[in-house]
Amino acid sequence: DLLDKLLQFDPNVRLSAYDALRHPYLEDHHSEEDEPVASAHVDWTFDDVQNDPDRLQCLIYHEAASFHPEILERDREALTARSWPTTPMTA
């Protein structure tokens, strides 16, 4: 019964995480104190931007470069060939 409720295609019918944790199947594992609920709805609109694959690859590469800036110099030629920035990108 729990699995059927969790796998509903329609999100309006699907069991929420809050309700799933209170299902009888999980009653032995449920602890109200260990499962805080967000006080407000999480805003995911930042994720609504439609990026083409090349732009996403560029963003991911530069995210990695923010942790390892030395790769920018190492890959300068390839970055230039793809018309990607050769300097660190900022938000």
Side-chain angles (χ1 to χ4, degrees), residues 9-87:
F9 183 76
D10 183 350
N12 297 312
V13 176
R14 189 179 312 134
L15 202 60
S16 70
Y18 180 86
D19 292 331
L21 290 169
R22 284 148 187 80
H23 188 277
Y25 183 77
L26 298 174
E27 67 187 351
D28 292 340
H29 306 287
H30 173 67
S31 172
E32 196 74 37
E33 305 82 46
D34 291 341
E35 295 153 5
V37 176
S39 59
H41 180 73
V42 177
D43 180 13
W44 290 95
T45 56
F46 69 88
D47 204 27
D48 291 343
V49 177
Q50 297 298 317
N51 286 306
D52 63 273
D54 188 60
R55 170 98 172 120
L56 288 173
Q57 286 177 342
C58 180
L59 291 171
I60 292 168
Y61 174 88
H62 279 84
E63 178 70 17
S66 71
F67 296 98
H68 301 282
E70 67 278 5
I71 69 174
L72 291 168
E73 188 57 41
R74 180 197 72 189
D75 299 337
R76 182 174 297 282
E77 191 176 312
L79 295 171
T80 303
R82 293 184 114 188
S83 300
W84 287 5
T86 57
T87 57

